Amino acid sequence: CMWHNLITSRIICDKQGKLAALQERYRIPYPETLKQNIISNNMKLLSGMLPSFDTQIKKAENRADLVSINHRVAEFLASYFDVLFAVNEMTHPGEKRMQSICSRECRILPKNFDKNLDRLFCGMFRENISPVIRDMVEEIRKII
């Protein structure tokens, strides 16, 4: 996010040119090692490792613990979007408007990207969302 903000900021005043020099220095191709590390680490958090978010969400659902469901889904989505931005070799724009930015700018998206997010939010406190979480993980795996 800091990298993104630096390289996309519009400079209003920079008398000594230091900010412009930093922008130029960090306008680089997305590092492959960074991409692979972000994908690898966050996919483990999404599913398949203890204590991955999918398992934590299922346990919270079984307890009917709405606060925990909300917290774990938020963390799931943070990792989910980290993977999407890395797959697309895009700097992370921050927490605002991530879905619309992905829909508009990502060249690689999981199947049913918007539909699954809608299903997740609509069902979060009313139904079992574990199948939606599972679908989202399966579809993001397909694009890696």
Side-chain angles (χ1 to χ4, degrees):
C1 182
M2 297 288 288
W3 178 21
H4 178 83
N5 286 336
L6 174 66
I7 64 175
T8 61
S9 292
R10 184 174 51 116
I11 300 173
I12 296 172
C13 182
D14 185 21
K15 291 180 182 181
Q16 296 177 348
K18 291 181 179 180
L19 185 54
L22 279 174
Q23 279 185 328
E24 191 59 35
R25 179 178 177 190
Y26 289 102
R27 279 196 178 108
I28 59 172
Y30 202 96
E32 185 63 28
T33 302
L34 177 63
K35 175 182 176 177
Q36 293 308 319
N37 285 338
I38 289 172
I39 292 169
S40 175
N41 291 333
N42 282 285
M43 288 305 295
K44 290 174 190 171
L45 292 172
L46 292 178
S47 180
M49 299 282 292
L50 287 177
S52 57
F53 296 130
D54 61 343
T55 302
Q56 292 178 37
I57 291 166
K58 182 67 174 165
K59 287 179 179 179
E61 285 181 321
N62 291 340
R63 292 190 308 269
D65 185 346
L66 301 182
V67 172
S68 185
I69 291 169
N70 183 66
H71 188 257
R72 296 295 82 202
V73 168
E75 294 301 317
F76 172 88
L77 288 172
S79 286
Y80 181 79
F81 280 102
D82 285 350
V83 171
L84 285 177
F85 290 122
V87 164
N88 285 278
E89 298 180 354
M90 292 173 59
T91 55
H92 197 299
E95 294 181 348
K96 295 179 181 90
R97 298 180 296 278
M98 289 191 293
Q99 182 178 359
S100 62
I101 289 169
C102 282
S103 293
R104 187 177 61 248
E105 297 179 27
C106 289
R107 64 192 191 306
I108 303 168
L109 283 175
K111 182 179 175 186
N112 300 321
F113 170 72
D114 287 310
K115 180 181 175 182
N116 277 336
L117 286 171
D118 289 345
R119 288 176 54 214
L120 175 64
F121 294 128
C122 289
M124 211 159 101
F125 301 112
R126 289 181 238 142
E127 59 188 62
N128 179 354
I129 58 170
S130 290
V132 180
I133 296 289
R134 188 174 45 253
D135 287 348
M136 292 174 76
V137 171
E138 287 174 13
E139 293 303 329
I140 202 168
R141 278 191 177 123
K142 290 177 184 176
I143 66 169
I144 295 175

